[in-house]
Amino acid sequence: TLLLSVALYIVVPVLIAPPRGAVDRFTRVLVALDGSADADRALPMARLVAEGAGATVHLVIVCDAEPAFARTSEDAAAIAERLTDAAAEHLHAVGLPGEETAVVSGHPVDSILEYAEEQGCDLIAMATHGRTGRPRLDLGSVADGVLASADRPVLLVPVRGQVVG
């Protein structure tokens, strides 16, 4: 659909609010990260929105609890633990005082939406890589998945665009 294709072509931040997900004011802003510098591009814009609204920022990284490339269940547990530790270190490095941080396990889209619901986050902010062609087919898009299922506004910040903050 057209809405889901928006993540492909944005060059400036875009706020998309589903009709049933409109809110008067943001009180909690979830910033979905993945530990990469590209995903961190959403931070300045999300913080700007949160500051203007007087909202609390929640930084979240989703880790795969059962990495597909692990050979054994013991390997999977060790890899998952290392991924979780690395995610926590990243959140510590990029987080600011007063921001909430969480590392959660599971499928990225489902985990982001569940965290938003559980914590009462009324805005989800995330970077979009704008992948097209084969990489998009191979990797999918977390942004598309969140947009398709979110019942609250989503702020998409392009990795390739210029965000000031």
Side-chain angles (χ1 to χ4, degrees):
T1 67
L2 178 62
L3 176 63
L4 296 180
S5 299
V6 168
L8 285 176
Y9 304 107
I10 65 170
V11 293
V12 296
V14 175
L15 178 65
I16 301 170
R20 66 189 182 286
V23 294
D24 293 336
R25 140 181 191 326
F26 301 124
T27 58
R28 291 178 190 86
V29 176
L30 184 163
V31 186
L33 302 172
D34 64 11
S36 72
D38 281 348
D40 291 349
R41 294 286 307 262
L43 283 168
M45 183 58 63
R47 286 176 173 147
L48 190 65
V49 170
E51 182 182 347
T56 303
V57 174
H58 291 249
L59 307 179
V60 176
I61 295 180
V62 180
C63 290
D64 189 347
E66 296 181 20
F69 52 87
R71 292 186 198 173
T72 66
S73 59
E74 291 82 17
D75 286 346
I79 292 168
E81 184 177 346
R82 285 195 300 270
L83 290 172
T84 300
D85 291 346
E89 286 176 26
H90 184 77
L91 290 174
H92 179 73
V94 300
L96 298 177
E99 293 180 341
E100 301 289 329
T101 61
V103 178
V104 296
S105 295
H107 181 271
V109 172
D110 295 338
S111 297
I112 290 166
L113 296 172
E114 287 169 13
Y115 183 93
E117 181 68 28
E118 290 168 4
Q119 298 299 317
C121 297
D122 34 35
L123 174 65
I124 299 171
M126 60 193 316
T128 180
H129 298 278
R131 292 185 183 103
T132 59
R134 182 65 191 221
R136 183 178 182 76
L137 292 174
D138 291 343
L139 299 172
S141 171
V142 174
D144 279 355
V146 170
L147 276 176
S149 302
D151 62 352
R152 62 203 74 223
V154 177
L155 175 64
L156 295 176
V157 179
V159 168
R160 295 182 195 146
Q162 261 192 303
V163 178
V164 216

